[in-house]
Amino acid sequence: EGNVSDKCYVFFDKYNPIRINSYTITPNGNKITISISATSGTGTITKYFYSKDDGASYVESTSNTYTFTNLAKGTYKIKAYVLDSNNKISEYISKNIEITNMILSEYVMSQYTGTQGENGIYYHDSNLTNGAGDNSYRFAGADPNNYVCFGSDEVTCPTENLYRIIGVIDGKVKLIHAYGATTTMLGTNEGYAKTYKEAMSNNLELAQSFYKGKEDFAKIGSYKWNKSGTNTWSTSTTNTTNLNTNYLTYLDGKNTKWKNMIADTTWYVGGMTSTNGALSNAKTAYNYEVGANKDATTTENAKIGLMYVSEYYYGATPDYWTLPGADQNGHPNEDQTAWIGEDYSKAYNDNWMSTGLIELTISRTSDASGGAFGVNSYGYVSGGGVVYSYGYVARPSFSLSSSIKFTSGEGTAVNPIRINL
């Protein structure tokens, strides 16, 4: 009889791999977000791997969502896969995504997630309690990522050229100088009074302790709201010369493109009473400055202006929007380091627009012919004389043309947003 060999048994375990159910790869401004919905198989899911260079390099994460940020214009070859506890990988997903230069206003609005306050942005629609109700997108809070480099293309943006985005208002991005305009920018003629260092010489150490910025006080200028003594903005040489001549000449000296980025703007300069301004709150000030109750007959058409009182109020988080600008019973504490009272000084640390400088606003006191509103170093709003001999700091504010493009940047002071025509 023939010989029969021993029987050989081979056992095969069925291995269930990771299954990717669905995924999205979505561009948003200078960002690309990948989200993966996967089901584990025999092993458990441990990591996700994401690439923007067709797999040449990967970022690993324990999250099923990852966002590549601060991307320059170009095409990115996105790839991703999932790893399980047995070191087995899923199938690869891939897609080519093109990043193009976005319109700046679209980029800013894209940072609003639908949740009020995320990324420091509030959408002022009719549902936002105590908001402006004008469908604007405004930055608020202690230090949102709203820095823009304007007037310079240097790799490291000079302090003098750092601005911040107030918001997207009437479809345009509105900027304000971050730290206080220098005399190089606004000149030392007409409305100029003295340097801020000279103006604060009696309390220089205290003034510097309040200051949140990075500019040298000896370089920052102090300016009178109107040296002629009247609170008519159209006759103020701080307006006509320092802001709308000297400053624009300064920009031309940098590159003519910067001045060309600025839109002509109608500034409402009718002002408001002290009750509706310094003694009121954000919504009331807004209504009387630029909203439903504004003086539409008293306007100034110009490229450059100053901040409105209501813009300053709305720079704080919403829990401060009902506070008055100043408490008539308020007073500094014993060591002069804080203002005691139920007013906007409470928002000093929660309002990015509060620089710690004594500064001008564009809003006049309509019930006093020689007064205009200013912001004190403590953070409260009050009226003051338009010819005050020490002057106040002017922070140029303006709206950019609606066609200006976002090119790069994260909005921090170190990596500010970069823009171009």
Side-chain angles (χ1 to χ4, degrees):
E1 295 183 9
N3 294 323
V4 178
S5 66
D6 293 335
K7 293 180 180 178
C8 179
Y9 297 93
V10 178
F11 296 93
F12 293 94
D13 288 331
K14 183 178 181 182
Y15 192 90
N16 292 320
I18 298 166
R19 184 173 70 252
I20 292 181
N21 304 311
S22 62
Y23 66 89
T24 59
I25 303 175
T26 309
N28 183 3
N30 67 337
K31 303 176 183 179
I32 298 175
T33 299
I34 306 105
S35 293
I36 300 173
S37 171
T39 303
S40 61
T42 302
T44 57
I45 294 174
T46 56
K47 290 180 181 178
Y48 298 79
F49 290 81
Y50 306 94
S51 172
K52 59 182 172 64
D53 52 16
D54 200 28
S57 62
Y58 282 93
V59 174
E60 66 177 64
S61 172
T62 56
S63 173
N64 70 326
T65 298
Y66 185 81
T67 300
F68 289 105
T69 63
N70 199 29
L71 300 175
K73 181 180 179 180
T75 300
Y76 294 85
K77 297 182 177 181
I78 304 299
K79 235 178 192 180
Y81 65 91
V82 187
L83 181 74
D84 73 9
S85 54
N86 292 311
N87 214 32
K88 304 287 187 180
I89 67 172
S90 69
E91 62 180 302
Y92 288 84
I93 61 172
S94 63
K95 188 176 183 180
N96 289 352
I97 298 291
E98 184 179 6
I99 295 293
T100 59
N101 288 346
M102 285 186 76
I103 298 298
L104 179 62
S105 58
E106 293 177 350
Y107 170 76
V108 174
M109 291 187 292
S110 75
Q111 303 310 296
Y112 176 68
T113 64
T115 299
Q116 297 286 12
E118 280 196 10
N119 295 326
I121 297 180
Y122 290 84
Y123 176 41
H124 287 249
D125 62 359
S126 58
N127 296 318
L128 180 60
T129 304
N130 301 313
D134 59 356
N135 294 321
S136 60
Y137 294 78
R138 298 172 187 252
F139 282 96
D143 190 25
N145 292 336
N146 61 344
Y147 285 89
V148 175
C149 190
F150 185 86
S152 175
D153 287 315
E154 294 182 39
V155 174
T156 299
C157 189
T159 300
E160 187 175 77
N161 297 109
L162 282 172
Y163 293 73
R164 302 189 80 165
I165 299 173
I166 294 174
V168 179
I169 301 171
D170 294 330
K172 297 182 178 70
V173 175
K174 191 170 187 180
L175 303 184
I176 187 169
H177 194 269
Y179 299 136
T182 64
T183 55
T184 301
M185 303 168 80
L186 300 188
T188 56
N189 58 341
E190 295 299 339
Y192 175 74
K194 54 187 66 180
T195 68
Y196 196 65
K197 184 176 182 179
E198 293 170 333
M200 296 291 106
S201 59
N202 291 335
N203 286 293
L204 185 59
E205 186 175 344
L206 180 62
Q208 290 173 331
S209 71
F210 277 108
Y211 186 46
K212 298 179 184 178
K214 302 178 181 180
E215 192 58 86
D216 184 347
F217 276 13
K219 295 181 179 180
I220 297 174
S222 287
Y223 297 83
K224 299 175 183 180
W225 199 92
N226 190 346
K227 70 175 187 178
S228 72
T230 65
N231 60 0
T232 302
W233 185 243
S234 62
T235 65
S236 168
T237 53
T238 297
N239 165 31
T240 58
T241 300
N242 301 103
L243 290 171
N244 282 289
T245 300
N246 295 350
Y247 177 71
L248 295 176
T249 300
Y250 159 83
L251 290 181
D252 272 342
K254 294 281 189 175
N255 189 314
T256 55
K257 74 174 184 178
W258 299 110
K259 184 173 74 174
N260 294 335
M261 290 185 186
I262 301 174
D264 293 323
T265 299
T266 298
W267 300 86
Y268 293 96
V269 291
M272 54 190 166
T273 66
S274 297
T275 300
N276 293 327
L279 303 182
S280 188
N281 54 39
K283 180 63 174 176
T284 300
Y286 172 86
N287 282 339
Y288 279 94
E289 286 180 306
V290 296
N293 300 324
K294 67 179 179 291
D295 177 359
T297 64
T298 307
T299 60
E300 176 75 355
N301 294 318
K303 286 184 178 294
I304 314 301
L306 300 169
M307 68 177 171
Y308 288 105
V309 170
S310 57
E311 289 173 339
Y312 172 72
Y313 286 157
Y314 281 131
T317 47
D319 43 323
Y320 299 101
W321 293 352
T322 57
L323 293 182
D327 183 346
Q328 288 182 307
N329 299 314
H331 58 279
N333 63 8
E334 290 183 3
D335 61 2
Q336 301 284 306
T337 58
W339 189 259
I340 300 171
E342 189 67 7
D343 59 30
Y344 250 69
S345 63
K346 291 183 177 295
Y348 173 85
N349 291 315
D350 293 308
N351 186 341
W352 66 269
M353 290 191 75
S354 180
T355 61
L357 297 169
I358 302 174
E359 58 183 288
L360 299 170
T361 76
I362 201 169
S363 302
R364 63 187 284 270
T365 53
S366 60
D367 53 345
S369 61
F373 294 100
V375 176
N376 194 279
S377 56
Y378 298 109
Y380 66 88
V381 176
S382 64
V386 296
V387 290
Y388 181 58
S389 60
Y390 288 95
Y392 295 89
V393 172
R395 294 165 69 193
S397 181
F398 48 87
S399 295
L400 296 172
S401 298
S402 57
S403 60
I404 298 305
K405 295 180 176 63
F406 166 90
T407 60
S408 64
E410 295 179 334
T412 63
V414 175
N415 185 15
I417 290 169
R418 301 289 181 142
I419 60 177
N420 217 328
L421 291 168

